[in-house]
PDB file of all heavy atoms in Angstrom:
ATOM      1  N   ALA A1518      -2.573-161.686-227.928  1.00  0.00           N
ATOM      2  CA  ALA A1518      -1.542-162.617-228.374  1.00  0.00           C
ATOM      3  C   ALA A1518      -0.130-162.027-228.273  1.00  0.00           C
ATOM      4  O   ALA A1518       0.854-162.720-228.627  1.00  0.00           O
ATOM      5  CB  ALA A1518      -1.826-163.037-229.832  1.00  0.00           C
ATOM      6  N   ARG A1519      -0.021-160.803-227.770  1.00  0.00           N
ATOM      7  CA  ARG A1519       1.284-160.161-227.759  1.00  0.00           C
ATOM      8  C   ARG A1519       2.250-160.805-226.800  1.00  0.00           C
ATOM      9  O   ARG A1519       3.472-160.682-226.921  1.00  0.00           O
ATOM     10  CB  ARG A1519       1.154-158.669-227.423  1.00  0.00           C
ATOM     11  CG  ARG A1519       0.943-158.389-225.942  1.00  0.00           C
ATOM     12  CD  ARG A1519       0.337-157.007-225.688  1.00  0.00           C
ATOM     13  NE  ARG A1519       0.384-156.596-224.293  1.00  0.00           N
ATOM     14  CZ  ARG A1519      -0.387-157.089-223.323  1.00  0.00           C
ATOM     15  NH1 ARG A1519      -1.275-158.031-223.610  1.00  0.00           N
ATOM     16  NH2 ARG A1519      -0.263-156.679-222.099  1.00  0.00           N
ATOM     17  N   ARG A1520       1.719-161.567-225.813  1.00  0.00           N
ATOM     18  CA  ARG A1520       2.575-162.328-224.893  1.00  0.00           C
ATOM     19  C   ARG A1520       1.780-163.529-224.422  1.00  0.00           C
ATOM     20  O   ARG A1520       0.548-163.526-224.362  1.00  0.00           O
ATOM     21  CB  ARG A1520       3.020-161.452-223.710  1.00  0.00           C
ATOM     22  CG  ARG A1520       1.981-160.698-222.985  1.00  0.00           C
ATOM     23  CD  ARG A1520       2.598-159.819-221.897  1.00  0.00           C
ATOM     24  NE  ARG A1520       3.300-160.602-220.879  1.00  0.00           N
ATOM     25  CZ  ARG A1520       4.110-160.077-219.944  1.00  0.00           C
ATOM     26  NH1 ARG A1520       4.311-158.760-219.900  1.00  0.00           N
ATOM     27  NH2 ARG A1520       4.697-160.867-219.043  1.00  0.00           N
ATOM     28  N   PRO A1521       2.493-164.631-224.065  1.00  0.00           N
ATOM     29  CA  PRO A1521       1.798-165.879-223.781  1.00  0.00           C
ATOM     30  C   PRO A1521       1.093-165.925-222.421  1.00  0.00           C
ATOM     31  O   PRO A1521       0.271-166.817-222.202  1.00  0.00           O
ATOM     32  CB  PRO A1521       2.927-166.918-223.809  1.00  0.00           C
ATOM     33  CG  PRO A1521       4.163-166.145-223.447  1.00  0.00           C
ATOM     34  CD  PRO A1521       3.961-164.767-224.049  1.00  0.00           C
ATOM     35  N   ASP A1522       1.377-164.985-221.553  1.00  0.00           N
ATOM     36  CA  ASP A1522       0.817-165.018-220.188  1.00  0.00           C
ATOM     37  C   ASP A1522      -0.215-163.917-219.963  1.00  0.00           C
ATOM     38  O   ASP A1522      -0.425-163.468-218.813  1.00  0.00           O
ATOM     39  CB  ASP A1522       1.909-164.947-219.139  1.00  0.00           C
ATOM     40  CG  ASP A1522       2.768-163.680-219.254  1.00  0.00           C
ATOM     41  OD1 ASP A1522       2.624-162.945-220.242  1.00  0.00           O
ATOM     42  OD2 ASP A1522       3.575-163.426-218.357  1.00  0.00           O
ATOM     43  N   THR A1523      -0.884-163.441-221.003  1.00  0.00           N
ATOM     44  CA  THR A1523      -1.871-162.379-220.886  1.00  0.00           C
ATOM     45  C   THR A1523      -2.981-162.760-219.859  1.00  0.00           C
ATOM     46  O   THR A1523      -3.451-163.884-219.882  1.00  0.00           O
ATOM     47  CB  THR A1523      -2.523-162.088-222.223  1.00  0.00           C
ATOM     48  OG1 THR A1523      -1.505-161.561-223.123  1.00  0.00           O
ATOM     49  CG2 THR A1523      -3.670-161.103-222.140  1.00  0.00           C
ATOM     50  N   VAL A1524      -3.298-161.786-219.041  1.00  0.00           N
ATOM     51  CA  VAL A1524      -4.427-161.940-218.100  1.00  0.00           C
ATOM     52  C   VAL A1524      -5.515-160.927-218.490  1.00  0.00           C
ATOM     53  O   VAL A1524      -5.243-159.762-218.654  1.00  0.00           O
ATOM     54  CB  VAL A1524      -3.990-161.673-216.654  1.00  0.00           C
ATOM     55  CG1 VAL A1524      -5.173-161.823-215.686  1.00  0.00           C
ATOM     56  CG2 VAL A1524      -2.851-162.567-216.260  1.00  0.00           C
ATOM     57  N   ILE A1525      -6.731-161.381-218.692  1.00  0.00           N
ATOM     58  CA  ILE A1525      -7.800-160.545-219.207  1.00  0.00           C
ATOM     59  C   ILE A1525      -8.702-160.089-218.076  1.00  0.00           C
ATOM     60  O   ILE A1525      -9.233-160.901-217.301  1.00  0.00           O
ATOM     61  CB  ILE A1525      -8.599-161.278-220.287  1.00  0.00           C
ATOM     62  CG1 ILE A1525      -7.693-161.454-221.533  1.00  0.00           C
ATOM     63  CG2 ILE A1525      -9.871-160.493-220.661  1.00  0.00           C
ATOM     64  CD1 ILE A1525      -8.390-162.071-222.709  1.00  0.00           C
ATOM     65  N   LEU A1526      -8.884-158.756-217.999  1.00  0.00           N
ATOM     66  CA  LEU A1526      -9.825-158.141-217.079  1.00  0.00           C
ATOM     67  C   LEU A1526     -10.898-157.434-217.892  1.00  0.00           C
ATOM     68  O   LEU A1526     -10.590-156.562-218.709  1.00  0.00           O
ATOM     69  CB  LEU A1526      -9.111-157.071-216.223  1.00  0.00           C
ATOM     70  CG  LEU A1526      -7.901-157.522-215.395  1.00  0.00           C
ATOM     71  CD1 LEU A1526      -7.272-156.291-214.742  1.00  0.00           C
ATOM     72  CD2 LEU A1526      -8.324-158.541-214.364  1.00  0.00           C
ATOM     73  N   SER A1527     -12.123-157.809-217.696  1.00  0.00           N
ATOM     74  CA  SER A1527     -13.228-157.185-218.400  1.00  0.00           C
ATOM     75  C   SER A1527     -13.987-156.301-217.410  1.00  0.00           C
ATOM     76  O   SER A1527     -14.447-156.776-216.372  1.00  0.00           O
ATOM     77  CB  SER A1527     -14.175-158.232-219.003  1.00  0.00           C
ATOM     78  OG  SER A1527     -15.161-157.640-219.805  1.00  0.00           O
ATOM     79  N   VAL A1528     -14.088-155.012-217.703  1.00  0.00           N
ATOM     80  CA  VAL A1528     -14.699-154.032-216.795  1.00  0.00           C
ATOM     81  C   VAL A1528     -16.102-153.691-217.234  1.00  0.00           C
ATOM     82  O   VAL A1528     -16.316-153.227-218.369  1.00  0.00           O
ATOM     83  CB  VAL A1528     -13.809-152.757-216.705  1.00  0.00           C
ATOM     84  CG1 VAL A1528     -14.481-151.714-215.829  1.00  0.00           C
ATOM     85  CG2 VAL A1528     -12.423-153.119-216.170  1.00  0.00           C
ATOM     86  N   HIS A1529     -17.064-153.843-216.331  1.00  0.00           N
ATOM     87  CA  HIS A1529     -18.476-153.536-216.616  1.00  0.00           C
ATOM     88  C   HIS A1529     -19.022-152.748-215.421  1.00  0.00           C
ATOM     89  O   HIS A1529     -18.393-152.628-214.379  1.00  0.00           O
ATOM     90  CB  HIS A1529     -19.291-154.820-216.750  1.00  0.00           C
ATOM     91  CG  HIS A1529     -18.987-155.607-217.986  1.00  0.00           C
ATOM     92  ND1 HIS A1529     -19.892-155.751-219.013  1.00  0.00           N
ATOM     93  CD2 HIS A1529     -17.862-156.267-218.383  1.00  0.00           C
ATOM     94  CE1 HIS A1529     -19.366-156.483-219.981  1.00  0.00           C
ATOM     95  NE2 HIS A1529     -18.120-156.811-219.609  1.00  0.00           N
ATOM     96  N   SER A1530     -20.239-152.230-215.602  1.00  0.00           N
ATOM     97  CA  SER A1530     -20.969-151.673-214.488  1.00  0.00           C
ATOM     98  C   SER A1530     -22.400-152.155-214.551  1.00  0.00           C
ATOM     99  O   SER A1530     -22.909-152.542-215.626  1.00  0.00           O
ATOM    100  CB  SER A1530     -20.934-150.127-214.510  1.00  0.00           C
ATOM    101  OG  SER A1530     -21.699-149.597-215.572  1.00  0.00           O
ATOM    102  N   PHE A1531     -23.082-152.140-213.386  1.00  0.00           N
ATOM    103  CA  PHE A1531     -24.491-152.595-213.360  1.00  0.00           C
ATOM    104  C   PHE A1531     -25.331-151.516-212.678  1.00  0.00           C
ATOM    105  O   PHE A1531     -24.862-150.765-211.833  1.00  0.00           O
ATOM    106  CB  PHE A1531     -24.614-153.932-212.665  1.00  0.00           C
ATOM    107  CG  PHE A1531     -24.215-153.965-211.204  1.00  0.00           C
ATOM    108  CD1 PHE A1531     -25.169-153.808-210.224  1.00  0.00           C
ATOM    109  CD2 PHE A1531     -22.885-154.200-210.833  1.00  0.00           C
ATOM    110  CE1 PHE A1531     -24.822-153.853-208.858  1.00  0.00           C
ATOM    111  CE2 PHE A1531     -22.544-154.242-209.501  1.00  0.00           C
ATOM    112  CZ  PHE A1531     -23.490-154.059-208.516  1.00  0.00           C
ATOM    113  N   THR A1532     -26.584-151.470-213.084  1.00  0.00           N
ATOM    114  CA  THR A1532     -27.503-150.470-212.518  1.00  0.00           C
ATOM    115  C   THR A1532     -27.939-150.889-211.116  1.00  0.00           C
ATOM    116  O   THR A1532     -28.080-152.092-210.849  1.00  0.00           O
ATOM    117  CB  THR A1532     -28.738-150.321-213.447  1.00  0.00           C
ATOM    118  OG1 THR A1532     -29.537-149.269-212.939  1.00  0.00           O
ATOM    119  CG2 THR A1532     -29.559-151.583-213.514  1.00  0.00           C
ATOM    120  N   PRO A1533     -28.144-149.942-210.228  1.00  0.00           N
ATOM    121  CA  PRO A1533     -28.551-150.287-208.853  1.00  0.00           C
ATOM    122  C   PRO A1533     -29.897-151.020-208.821  1.00  0.00           C
ATOM    123  O   PRO A1533     -30.138-151.738-207.856  1.00  0.00           O
ATOM    124  CB  PRO A1533     -28.662-148.929-208.169  1.00  0.00           C
ATOM    125  CG  PRO A1533     -27.778-148.016-208.940  1.00  0.00           C
ATOM    126  CD  PRO A1533     -27.871-148.490-210.324  1.00  0.00           C
TER     127      PRO A1533
END
Side-chain angles (χ1 to χ4, degrees):
R1519 80 199 191 286
R1520 51 184 297 170
D1522 59 351
T1523 294
V1524 180
I1525 292 183
L1526 304 174
S1527 186
V1528 175
H1529 290 247
S1530 71
F1531 63 95
T1532 185

